Amino acid sequence: MGLTRRAFLQRIGVALGALGLSEAALSLLGEQYQQAIAQPTRRKLALLVGINSYAEPVCDFVPSRGTALNGCLTDIELQRELLIHRFGFQPSDIISLTDQQATRSAIVEAFQTHLAQQARSGDVVVFHFSGLGSRVKLADDSRDAEQNSLVLVDSLLPTPDSPIISDLLEETLALLLRSLPTPQVTTILDAGATTLGKMYQGNLKIRSRPNAPSGQISEAEQALWAELRQANRRLTQFPGLLLAATAANQVATEAQWSGFSAGLFTYALTQQLWGATSATTLRFLFNQTSSAVRQSAGMEQQPRFEGQPPPAIYQTPPLPTSADGVVRAIDEDGKAQVWLGGLPASVLENYGASLLEQQGNETEGLLRVRSRDGLIVKVRATDATVLQAGQLVQERIRLLPRNVGLTVAIDTTLERIERVDATSAFSAIPRV
């Protein structure tokens, strides 16, 4: 059901106005919304946020090697390539905010100018966040004692002089997304909210603050929540579809592979979606994603699926065939750079001189892999085939080395005698 201009202003004005936007901006937003709903053209918009570089006063621990996390920018790259090359998003309709760009004010501004002002009824919106999550304790008896939040690059921890919680509360994010004039919203959250007091689970890095900070929400957000209570809204419900890296009280993790790091959830989900066709259901793909995450993280990380699946994945037109990657660029020496985000990391780590082909075109020459750097491989055509940036590719022949190595790690939480015993046991195996 459509919204009148007044209803729209009341709905989104609460959400954005409480976060510091002027009445003039809200009025302009309402005018542009009225113009937008009159246009029949359907659009696909995305806002992607990824943060690796958190300062110690934000993340609550000392970052190693200059960054708290390593895989969040890869997540944004994975999502962007997926949206453009598999789901028909225009590059100009995708905004990515990474590291120092991902401040609270910048995210709110992008939400206003890129999503709220442009989206109209029936349009598709994707919001993705990869970074630290947190559990926060709120000193406000009128609210629940604890909430989940997303940690932004400027989300300073509360102090006695400034006890304000500056994280983006998940419930506030849900309100912002519900305020959009379209129900076709997909939210992907690759962050957790555990308080385990540590940053590693085995050899996986945990995407949560180790401890829950205590503080209070700002006056602006207090006004926002007062309005919500008056409207008797369901505060925890995201609009459309929510795909989250983990269930409540579980870890969200990222892994490091040969040449790159990424969130376990985002990487697994990306691979499934690259291989999807019009006949594949999103629920099936999500179950496959969960199985892939479970292989690395065990039962401690179980992805979460909430809401009603849209008629098609991300509201995309039918996909004819699956794909494994895309041609990024053509080098002067005739080689091409191919991005292979649709292949499992275990395959890429042992990639030999495999052969690729252009998607759906078996008559053209094959592309022989020459070298790899992270998710990028250099290829050369086996004949005079002309390649162009943006062409989709898929595997034709996979070549693996004769001997594939396996790395076995010993958990640092084991007692010294246990580590010695484990080392001795492995040393007794001839092939180790």
Side-chain angles (χ1 to χ4, degrees):
M1 188 170 82
L3 292 175
T4 65
R5 179 175 184 275
R6 180 178 180 181
F8 173 77
L9 284 177
Q10 289 176 341
R11 191 173 182 185
I12 200 167
V14 171
L16 296 178
L19 297 178
L21 297 178
S22 66
E23 292 183 5
L26 292 175
S27 178
L28 175 63
L29 178 57
E31 296 289 347
Q32 294 185 348
Y33 169 72
Q34 286 288 74
Q35 297 173 11
I37 60 175
Q39 302 298 322
T41 304
R42 186 162 136 179
R43 198 170 183 183
K44 299 178 180 181
L45 302 167
L47 175 57
L48 315 178
V49 181
I51 308 172
N52 284 336
S53 299
Y54 289 96
E56 183 178 351
V58 173
C59 63
D60 198 25
F61 60 90
V62 180
S64 61
R65 300 180 182 178
T67 60
L69 300 173
N70 302 109
C72 298
L73 302 194
T74 305
D75 288 2
I76 298 309
E77 178 188 23
L78 289 165
Q79 186 68 253
R80 178 180 171 83
E81 296 289 350
L82 179 76
L83 294 177
I84 292 173
H85 297 292
R86 294 299 284 165
F87 295 107
F89 282 63
Q90 296 299 315
S92 59
D93 286 334
I94 301 174
I95 285 184
S96 300
L97 298 177
T98 58
D99 282 343
Q100 300 308 312
Q101 300 172 333
T103 63
R104 185 184 181 94
S105 61
I107 292 172
V108 171
E109 181 181 357
F111 197 97
Q112 177 204 9
T113 59
H114 183 61
L115 300 183
Q117 288 185 7
Q118 297 190 94
R120 62 199 66 154
S121 179
D123 283 356
V124 174
V125 171
V126 172
F127 177 83
H128 180 113
F129 178 87
S130 283
L132 287 174
S134 184
R135 196 73 176 151
V136 295
K137 300 176 181 179
L138 301 175
D140 185 347
D141 293 337
S142 62
R143 295 170 52 84
D144 293 338
E146 293 189 0
Q147 300 286 332
N148 289 344
S149 68
L150 304 180
V151 183
L152 309 181
V153 73
D154 58 347
S155 294
L156 294 173
L157 292 166
T159 65
D161 295 332
S162 179
I164 300 298
I165 295 287
S166 54
D167 296 359
L168 179 63
L169 299 181
E170 281 191 12
E171 294 180 355
T172 303
L173 173 62
L175 171 68
L176 290 171
L177 293 167
R178 284 202 306 272
S179 300
L180 296 175
T182 174
Q184 306 298 340
V185 179
T186 300
T187 305
I188 302 99
L189 300 181
D190 201 336
T194 54
T195 54
L196 301 177
K198 61 181 182 179
M199 286 308 300
Y200 283 91
Q201 179 120 330
N203 60 341
L204 302 175
K205 185 172 283 190
I206 299 174
R207 288 186 171 181
S208 302
R209 278 196 186 119
N211 305 293
S214 299
Q216 61 192 47
I217 60 175
S218 66
E219 293 183 0
E221 286 208 56
Q222 289 181 19
L224 171 63
W225 288 108
E227 181 71 20
L228 286 173
R229 283 193 295 271
Q230 184 178 0
N232 193 30
R233 296 184 184 273
R234 291 185 62 189
L235 305 183
T236 60
Q237 183 179 356
F238 280 80
L241 193 63
L242 171 66
L243 306 178
T246 185
N249 302 317
Q250 290 191 326
V251 296
T253 60
E254 65 175 38
Q256 180 175 351
W257 292 283
S258 174
F260 70 100
S261 297
L264 277 184
F265 174 68
T266 297
Y267 192 43
L269 179 65
T270 298
Q271 292 166 52
Q272 294 299 323
L273 291 172
W274 268 91
T277 66
S278 56
T280 312
T281 66
L282 183 55
R283 175 65 76 174
F284 173 81
L285 292 173
F286 190 83
N287 290 340
Q288 295 294 101
T289 299
S290 299
S291 296
V293 170
R294 189 161 53 247
Q295 289 179 9
S296 297
M299 298 303 294
E300 287 78 11
Q301 180 176 351
Q302 300 182 53
R304 189 165 90 250
F305 184 110
E306 293 181 1
Q308 293 298 320
I313 307 164
Y314 287 2
Q315 300 297 307
T316 182
L319 302 174
T321 59
S322 62
D324 296 312
V326 62
V327 177
R328 274 266 184 97
I330 310 298
D331 296 341
E332 294 180 358
D333 61 359
K335 293 181 180 179
Q337 298 180 26
V338 176
W339 181 86
L340 290 178
L343 290 180
S346 57
V347 172
L348 284 177
E349 284 187 301
N350 299 286
Y351 224 45
S354 300
L355 295 175
L356 309 174
E357 66 182 11
Q358 298 178 48
Q359 183 200 53
N361 191 348
E362 299 181 0
T363 61
E364 296 286 343
L366 299 178
L367 311 176
R368 185 178 297 278
V369 175
R370 296 297 187 182
S371 62
R372 182 184 69 86
D373 182 11
L375 292 169
I376 300 290
V377 296
K378 289 285 189 72
V379 304
R380 185 184 292 278
T382 57
D383 59 10
T385 298
V386 177
L387 293 175
Q388 295 181 348
Q391 288 178 317
L392 296 180
V393 300
Q394 55 194 124
E395 278 191 308
R396 179 71 174 274
I397 300 175
R398 178 182 297 176
L399 299 180
L400 299 176
R402 184 178 299 273
N403 294 314
V404 177
L406 172 66
T407 300
V408 178
I410 298 177
D411 198 318
T412 56
T413 60
L414 295 175
E415 298 293 336
R416 182 177 180 277
I417 186 62
E418 293 174 316
R419 295 199 298 271
V420 171
D421 290 344
T423 303
S424 299
F426 283 120
S427 300
I429 302 173
R431 291 179 58 85
V432 174

